[in-house]
Amino acid sequence: MRIIEGKSGVWHLGPGGTVLLPHRYYRGGRLTEEGARELEQADIAQGAPTDRYNLTVVTSTACNLGCPYCFQNTDAAQPGRFDPPRIDKQVLDGPTIDRIVEFTRPRMERAAVRRLFVLLFGGEPLLNPWACRELLLRLAALGPVTASMVSNGVLLTPRKAERLEEVGLRSVQITLDGPKELHDSLRATRAGRGTYESILDNITAVQAATRLRFGLRLNTTAEGLPHLEGLVRSLAERVDPSRCTLDIAPVLNYAGMFDGVLDRSGGEVETILGAYTAALEAGFTVGWPGGGSCGFCGERDGASGAVINADGTLYSCWETIGKPGYEVGDIDGGYRSYPQDRWVSCGEFAERSTTRAASQAFEDALSVGLLELLRAHKRRAEAVTAG
């Protein structure tokens, strides 16, 4: 459980939710008996029981973009080029999909769940759209399937979106790297062409053709930080904010290949919170910071979910897919014996791989600022509804 002190009180973030306790419940840095009873009654130490099994499946490790900070790059691009070398190329095929179904069946039975949540991942999953659809179709034999996709959005047409929505796709996460000029300098095709306009045009067209929700992830660099609030406001003019969740993600310097990261100072926190304020005012959904464990990597050896590369290799987390030495098994033989440090949970690989890992002080300041902001926004909304 994360415990962070804020202006309004002390925030407790656990697997089962978030609770704000007044400062009076703490004396000498310790929780009083009254506070302990209040926290126990909130019952956030344990996550709510789930009836679903979680699968991340890579349909293609290849990508049509050449983002310089991507954690799947194995080296920087040559000067003047936009095609950094990447992890080994793998493509999900029909026989492997069948093996994934057989791998998943006993694990769902063991976990006593009947539903599936599937995250379609890459590379770029839409470089293999057949496998995206076929995977969801065949997994439906095990129970109801709900799916999400992490895509760069360049290949997301209304027709592809409609066909995937038919078999369970409900949301798509798409990343933007700043306003048009900055985005196009970072998130370009491997031939160097910009993608900002095509991505936003695709989101608009898919929103018109489907009921899909979008998660807009704003990757933020030192150069992009001053433009963050303006970017949020411009996005609200291009897409339907009521069907979008917005998240701001400071870029990390994976393996020392990208230096334009934030210094992680107090001033940066205020700028990011200003952008979140603009997002709420524009009608975007902003998620509450959480303290729960990930359904894919939070429990070892496939107890609650699994991460599967396109060739059937198992990894603990999406951050380690395709990285030599981080394999933890395969879908035919299951999980095998591996060094304990090879089981990586969310965020751990980034911290191991960069010399400028996120400082706890920065993360806590950003989390508590966002919690306070969301609390105030919720109170205003309740007041308007009551009035």
Side-chain angles (χ1 to χ4, degrees):
M1 181 182 298
R2 290 179 68 193
I3 302 174
I4 315 173
E5 185 172 359
K7 295 178 181 178
S8 302
V10 180
W11 293 91
H12 295 252
L13 289 71
T18 302
V19 170
L20 175 65
L21 296 181
H23 286 113
R24 69 175 184 274
Y25 284 165
Y26 275 85
R27 292 200 188 112
R30 300 187 64 180
L31 196 61
T32 65
E33 290 186 10
E34 184 182 8
R37 285 195 299 271
E38 187 84 11
L39 187 60
E40 185 177 1
Q41 289 175 2
D43 194 24
I44 64 170
Q46 299 294 327
T50 180
D51 66 345
R52 73 182 194 182
Y53 191 76
N54 303 284
L55 283 179
T56 291
V57 181
V58 175
T59 63
S60 172
T61 59
C63 189
N64 51 327
L65 303 190
C67 307
Y69 53 76
C70 181
F71 60 89
Q72 292 181 344
N73 292 346
T74 57
D75 202 350
Q78 293 297 312
R81 296 183 64 91
F82 301 87
D83 55 350
R86 293 178 47 79
I87 57 175
D88 289 344
K89 185 175 181 180
Q90 304 288 346
V91 179
L92 182 65
D93 58 20
T96 306
I97 292 175
D98 288 336
R99 291 160 56 209
I100 290 173
V101 173
E102 293 311 308
F103 165 86
T104 305
R105 189 190 311 275
R107 283 159 180 83
M108 290 181 65
E109 294 172 354
R110 194 174 305 140
V113 297
R114 58 177 297 272
R115 296 173 56 245
L116 267 169
F117 175 75
V118 180
L119 178 63
L120 301 170
F121 204 75
E124 169 50 49
L126 288 177
L127 286 173
N128 191 3
W130 173 87
C132 293
R133 180 177 166 83
E134 195 66 20
L135 175 71
L136 300 184
L137 280 170
R138 297 189 198 182
L139 284 172
L142 304 180
V145 176
T146 300
S148 184
M149 174 188 290
V150 176
S151 170
N152 57 46
V154 174
L155 303 175
L156 183 64
T157 64
R159 176 59 176 159
K160 289 175 183 174
E162 287 170 336
R163 286 178 57 78
L164 286 170
E165 187 179 35
E166 291 171 355
V167 292
L169 186 68
R170 295 294 176 261
S171 63
V172 182
Q173 177 183 296
I174 290 178
T175 298
L176 295 161
D177 281 3
K180 183 180 186 304
E181 184 176 345
L182 177 57
H183 173 101
D184 286 348
S185 71
L186 292 171
R187 190 161 281 261
T189 69
R190 296 179 74 81
R193 293 189 296 273
T195 60
Y196 185 86
E197 292 297 337
S198 61
I199 290 171
L200 289 180
D201 286 347
N202 287 347
I203 293 174
T204 302
V206 170
Q207 283 189 322
T210 72
R211 299 177 64 184
L212 292 179
R213 288 192 59 85
F214 283 86
L216 301 183
R217 179 184 173 94
L218 306 187
N219 275 358
T220 303
T221 62
E223 185 178 358
L225 185 69
H227 307 286
L228 199 51
E229 185 173 335
L231 173 62
V232 169
R233 298 189 187 282
S234 67
L235 291 176
E237 297 174 356
R238 295 284 298 269
V239 304
D240 180 357
S242 69
R243 292 169 57 189
C244 296
T245 299
L246 188 139
D247 177 54
I248 297 171
V251 170
L252 294 174
N253 185 13
Y254 283 92
M257 290 185 285
F258 184 79
D259 293 326
V261 296
L262 302 184
D263 290 332
R264 301 183 179 273
S265 65
E268 292 172 335
V269 169
E270 292 305 313
T271 302
I272 292 172
L273 292 176
Y276 273 128
T277 300
L280 291 169
E281 291 172 349
F284 288 105
T285 298
V286 174
W288 288 74
S293 62
C294 173
F296 304 107
C297 60
E299 297 186 49
R300 288 180 179 264
D301 298 348
S304 61
V307 176
I308 307 173
N309 200 2
D311 63 351
T313 303
L314 296 170
Y315 294 85
S316 68
C317 179
W318 52 266
E319 288 187 339
T320 57
I321 290 169
K323 296 192 177 298
Y326 283 89
E327 306 88 348
V328 294
D330 61 68
I331 54 176
D332 299 314
Y335 293 88
R336 61 169 182 260
S337 177
Y338 51 84
Q340 290 298 300
D341 65 356
R342 287 302 184 246
W343 189 273
V344 178
S345 294
C346 292
E348 289 181 10
F349 186 76
E351 293 179 6
R352 296 179 189 181
S353 302
T354 178
T355 58
R356 302 178 72 178
S359 70
Q360 193 62 52
F362 175 87
E363 295 298 333
D364 286 351
L366 183 55
S367 292
V368 76
L370 183 54
L371 286 164
E372 301 277 359
L373 176 62
L374 289 169
R375 177 173 179 264
H377 179 76
K378 181 180 179 182
R379 285 189 164 188
R380 285 194 296 271
E382 290 172 346
V384 170
T385 302

